[in-house]
Amino acid sequence: MKSLWQDTANLPSFPTLQEGTKTDVLIIGGGIAGLLTAYFLKEKGIDYILVEKDKICSGVTGNTTAKITYQHSLIFHRLIKSYGADKAKLYYEANRLALEKYREMCLSIDCEFEEKSNFVYSLDNMKKLVKELQAAEILGVPMKYVKSVPLPLDTVGAVMCENQAQFHPLKFLSAVAKDLNIYENTFVSEVRDGTTVTDKGNITAEKIVVATHFPFIDSHGSYYMKMYQSRSYVIALEGAVDVEGMYIDECDKGLSFRNYGELLLLGGGSHRTGKKGGSYSELRAFRKQHYPTSREKYHWAAQDPITLDGAPYIGHYSKRTHDMYVMTGFNKWGMTGAMCASMIVSDMLCGKDSPYKDAFSPHRSMIKPQLFLNGAETALNFLTPTKKRCSHLGCALKWNSAEKSWDCPCHGSRFDESGKVLDKPANKDISTL
Ligand code: FES
């Protein structure tokens, strides 16, 4: 089923690459991060090409809940604890500027941009909310505590930031993409020594930006070790309620809420891709209990790369690849994450130093507990004796009966029933015989 966004926007179409070519900057991936990077490069007068293996916005960008906020769950306390207040402040400032940039761009784009307050609620952990408020005060983030939220849940309250926003992401990107230099249905199989191999010919580029949601070049950067993927679900309900804001549970497995017009978007069922966990059934049970007269109009799933410390990886792909850049690991906050990434990387591509790049450097320390959990998960699934194996690094695939796909718990690749790749890092189809 198409998501609400995919069903209600008209995205422009672009040609397929016909033969090998040359460009200054090649952007691989036509989701929000790649499109915004192309948009800023065009503004700066830089020669670029963007290639997308399907249609633009056909991946996770079309399956978001489209909340534009710098309040990424309880991130500020976590960042201060890991890196100190200076770096946490850079993270906040970069995301605040991203929100400002959307506000500015949406003045001339008809994409239903609306100012809304954002709330992070907790069912039972007041201590966490207090720590986040203290972190916000240190960083100068305008955040308040509210005792109750208009949701059918027993909470201990929420921390709230006013003047955040929501919009229709594909109406926005439809306007952004309109005059960009894009080739759709052009599949990149390999990048070697500045040459990118596609199924339509080779592209020679001085600089390459990998904006493919999950990076697929494993010879550098170790992204498959320092990220896992999380799957989550959304149902759009007609005849529910207006919650007048954007809400998310501080607990990973909790629910999220926002409205779009008459619809209530209820999200949740989050779990590591390939592992057992919630699904549409959990959301539908909640609908039945709390909004019994409502009707489900859309449903869709999202897939998000989760980093070791909650901050994205934006910058040079690896220490040894100075002409290759990456933007990934938005940890479910892809709207502001993609805007930060495209502003930082487009500056770097012009030789301009970004004051924010240190907060997102892909080369920061990997020594985090999640690294060992990711390693253990990979070892366990690699040794599992199942016939169906992932084409990425050979882990055992699990059948996802809710979505009829083969999912890999190691790094989150997914394949449809016929074996076609749905989600990277796998770049090759599998045999389902
Ligand atoms: Fe890496 Fe499957 S995604 S082995």
Side-chain angles (χ1 to χ4, degrees):
M1 185 185 210
K2 282 182 178 176
S3 74
L4 156 65
W5 318 121
Q6 288 161 339
D7 196 42
T8 53
N10 283 319
L11 287 161
S13 287
F14 298 92
T16 298
L17 189 72
Q18 295 299 323
E19 56 185 12
T21 187
K22 249 179 137 177
T23 180
D24 286 352
V25 180
L26 172 67
I27 301 162
I28 307 172
I32 185 167
L35 291 171
L36 285 170
T37 305
Y39 179 85
F40 292 133
L41 291 184
K42 182 170 186 253
E43 267 193 348
K44 292 171 198 281
I46 307 257
D47 176 50
Y48 71 90
I49 285 175
L50 184 153
V51 289
E52 161 58 43
K53 80 175 163 56
D54 295 313
K55 301 278 294 167
I56 59 163
C57 305
S58 54
V60 176
T61 296
N63 293 327
T64 170
T65 51
K67 298 171 180 169
I68 309 172
T69 177
Y70 48 69
Q71 192 189 16
H72 299 166
S73 191
L74 304 182
I75 188 74
F76 297 125
H77 170 70
R78 189 174 173 191
L79 288 181
I80 290 178
K81 209 170 142 210
S82 295
Y83 299 113
D86 287 349
K87 274 214 178 133
K89 178 104 178 159
L90 287 179
Y91 180 94
Y92 162 57
E93 282 297 334
N95 281 284
R96 189 184 62 74
L97 281 181
L99 168 58
E100 286 307 316
K101 190 70 190 170
Y102 276 112
R103 197 172 270 128
E104 177 198 315
M105 288 174 75
C106 292
L107 286 176
S108 55
I109 297 178
D110 182 11
C111 58
E112 295 157 274
F113 181 91
E114 295 174 273
E115 301 273 343
K116 291 281 173 190
S117 294
N118 189 64
F119 300 78
V120 181
Y121 65 85
S122 179
L123 297 183
D124 53 12
N125 201 328
M126 188 64 190
K127 250 193 192 166
K128 280 190 178 176
L129 300 186
V130 170
K131 281 185 182 164
E132 188 66 359
L133 281 170
Q134 288 165 346
E137 195 169 335
I138 292 169
L139 303 179
V141 180
M143 188 185 289
K144 286 185 205 159
Y145 171 72
V146 293
K147 218 168 156 188
S148 65
V149 286
L151 304 174
L153 295 167
D154 278 334
T155 72
V156 293
V159 285
M160 182 254 289
C161 290
E162 292 171 313
N163 304 318
Q164 311 296 295
Q166 61 187 30
F167 69 162
H168 189 310
L170 300 197
K171 287 189 180 173
F172 172 76
L173 289 170
S174 176
V176 165
K178 197 165 45 111
D179 298 317
L180 298 180
N181 198 13
I182 294 173
Y183 292 102
E184 291 182 321
N185 301 306
T186 301
F187 172 71
V188 171
S189 56
E190 205 185 333
V191 177
R192 58 170 123 85
D193 306 327
T195 297
T196 297
V197 181
T198 84
D199 54 346
K200 307 293 186 309
N202 291 354
I203 304 174
T204 309
E206 283 174 23
K207 298 188 178 190
I208 297 170
V209 179
V210 179
T212 52
H213 182 61
F214 200 110
F216 66 100
I217 302 161
D218 287 337
S219 46
H220 299 282
S222 308
Y223 293 97
Y224 63 92
M225 286 167 65
K226 54 192 190 187
M227 293 199 292
Y228 71 92
Q229 301 207 63
S230 170
R231 202 129 184 95
S232 56
Y233 304 86
V234 182
I235 56 176
L237 305 177
E238 207 168 38
V241 288
D242 186 350
V243 292
E244 292 174 1
M246 308 180 293
Y247 302 80
I248 194 156
D249 194 333
E250 53 82 16
C251 167
D252 277 353
K253 295 196 184 313
L255 298 170
S256 91
F257 302 78
R258 71 158 271 196
N259 289 93
Y260 170 72
E262 301 290 299
L263 300 175
L264 173 67
L265 311 190
L266 176 64
S270 213
H271 61 92
R272 184 176 180 127
T273 301
K275 302 292 280 183
K276 282 205 167 57
S279 184
Y280 294 114
S281 52
E282 189 179 314
L283 299 174
R284 286 171 181 149
F286 190 89
R287 181 207 71 79
K288 209 167 160 194
Q289 186 181 355
H290 297 286
Y291 308 117
T293 56
S294 68
R295 196 172 66 85
E296 183 178 315
K297 203 156 175 219
Y298 296 95
H299 65 264
W300 66 91
Q303 167 115 334
D304 292 281
I306 307 296
T307 62
L308 300 175
D309 57 11
Y313 300 125
I314 301 168
H316 289 293
Y317 199 96
S318 76
K319 283 187 182 159
R320 287 186 294 138
T321 52
H322 288 292
D323 294 328
M324 192 153 76
Y325 299 79
V326 69
M327 31 182 73
T328 189
F330 300 138
N331 296 285
K332 306 191 179 190
W333 300 102
M335 300 298 104
T336 38
M339 184 61 89
C340 286
S342 53
M343 293 198 294
I344 292 169
V345 169
S346 60
D347 276 353
M348 290 171 85
L349 286 164
C350 298
K352 207 172 136 193
D353 198 29
S354 166
Y356 306 108
K357 71 177 196 315
D358 286 352
F360 302 97
S361 168
H363 320 307
R364 58 192 186 260
S365 168
M366 287 170 63
I367 312 299
K368 297 274 179 275
Q370 187 62 47
L371 180 72
F372 300 101
L373 295 174
N374 290 352
E377 193 63 52
T378 301
L380 179 73
N381 284 286
F382 188 72
L383 296 172
T384 302
T386 307
K387 209 173 146 206
K388 291 274 177 306
R389 310 303 293 193
C390 179
S391 64
H392 177 226
L393 297 179
C395 284
L397 294 173
K398 300 273 162 64
W399 178 243
N400 173 345
S401 54
E403 298 182 81
K404 308 255 175 299
S405 60
W406 290 101
D407 297 357
C408 182
C410 288
H411 318 108
S413 294
R414 297 177 60 249
F415 305 85
D416 73 10
E417 277 179 290
S418 67
K420 190 170 171 277
V421 176
L422 295 171
D423 286 293
K424 284 183 189 318
N427 215 20
K428 262 192 227 141
D429 297 343
I430 55 162
S431 160
T432 53
L433 296 176

